[in-house]
Amino acid sequence: MYRLDGERMVAGFWSRVRPANPEDCWIWIGASHGDGYGVLYTGRRMFGAHVFAWELANRLPVPNNHIVMHTCDRPGCVNPAHLRAATQSENILDSYRKRRRIGRWYPKRI
């Protein structure tokens, strides 16, 4: 778990979130990877903005062998209501169900 009790870090996080209604995506406007996932830096460590948002909301570290997945499918979203801890297998199955992943279960998109 990151140092969530640091007021400066939490304030820095919220200063990089575009405010929205509680049910909408809250878009990260800070640094990001080329794939759209937001990133935060503390010292020499880099970590996902969505992971920080989940841990901040739940006041728990992400469970072992789990990741934080987006139920809204927007990599830049940091709304805790759109995030859940899941296994990588659950995340992959979710992407197949939503037809976001091409593979043996679905034919290629045209």
Side-chain angles (χ1 to χ4, degrees):
M1 189 154 121
Y2 311 113
R3 275 194 71 180
L4 300 179
D5 57 349
E7 288 181 33
R8 187 171 151 215
M9 184 152 190
V10 172
F13 170 80
W14 288 118
S15 73
R16 292 174 180 88
V17 176
R18 187 181 312 145
N21 295 321
E23 67 277 356
D24 294 337
C25 289
W26 300 350
I27 303 302
W28 177 255
I29 57 174
S32 65
H33 284 292
D35 56 6
Y37 288 91
V39 293
L40 286 168
Y41 297 91
T42 176
R44 294 182 178 164
R45 285 193 60 187
M46 176 183 73
F47 49 92
H50 66 294
V51 175
F52 184 85
W54 187 92
E55 290 189 351
L56 184 62
N58 292 284
R59 295 308 234 178
L60 296 168
V62 177
N64 288 339
N65 302 317
H66 283 70
I67 51 104
V68 176
M69 70 177 256
H70 291 86
T71 59
C72 61
D73 302 325
R74 291 187 73 182
C77 179
V78 293
N79 182 344
H82 296 187
L83 305 172
R84 75 177 188 94
T87 65
Q88 184 62 27
S89 296
E90 290 172 316
N91 192 32
I92 291 169
L93 286 172
D94 180 66
S95 71
Y96 277 115
R97 273 189 228 114
K98 294 176 179 175
R99 295 183 177 250
R100 288 186 293 111
R101 182 180 292 260
I102 303 302
R104 65 178 192 194
W105 293 358
Y106 296 111
K108 288 186 178 180
R109 294 180 189 159
I110 297 174

